Amino acid sequence: MSPDMSRVKWSPAQVAHRERMAEAIAYAKAAVADPQIRRIYEQMSIERKGNKRPCDMAVSDYFDGNNLLGDKFHWDIEWWRETKKYRKKKKR
């Protein structure tokens, strides 16, 4: 069982990092869903990290400032930030 984190007061730096991580994961899911971009990340994972998963490679690539989706689909991070404000948070 995981600890109850509902009463934790996150610092501004922690909140910023958690938001950036959520953005990276959203980017990675979208990137790996595209067959062409997935192949790129599979090849990158073989060349750079050995047997790292393509999704992990996409997250790492996002944090490095690379955006393969932007070139193909005009990935708009500002749009994603706006839409996530309206999503419901999970209650446990």
Side-chain angles (χ1 to χ4, degrees):
M1 180 176 226
S2 61
D4 179 14
M5 303 297 281
S6 63
R7 295 183 184 178
V8 173
K9 301 278 186 192
W10 303 105
S11 73
Q14 288 172 314
V15 170
H17 179 72
R18 290 168 65 87
E19 288 175 0
R20 185 124 164 88
M21 182 59 103
E23 293 166 5
I25 291 170
Y27 167 79
K29 285 180 181 180
V32 173
D34 181 272
Q36 292 174 335
I37 296 175
R38 182 183 178 90
R39 275 188 251 125
I40 293 169
Y41 281 122
E42 286 172 346
Q43 188 62 36
M44 284 172 64
S45 68
I46 291 168
E47 292 173 0
R48 293 184 187 174
K49 301 289 183 179
N51 59 358
K52 195 170 188 178
R53 298 178 305 179
C55 187
D56 295 341
M57 205 62 216
V59 169
S60 176
D61 207 31
Y62 181 85
F63 277 114
D64 289 341
N66 300 320
N67 184 352
L68 298 181
L69 279 178
D71 299 335
K72 187 171 183 179
F73 296 109
H74 304 290
W75 169 260
D76 186 0
I77 193 62
E78 293 305 322
W79 171 84
W80 188 84
R81 286 178 181 155
E82 286 299 313
T83 59
K84 79 174 188 167
K85 291 179 184 176
Y86 301 106
R87 290 186 293 173
K88 292 182 180 179
K89 293 186 177 182
K90 291 181 183 178
K91 291 189 177 182
R92 295 181 184 201

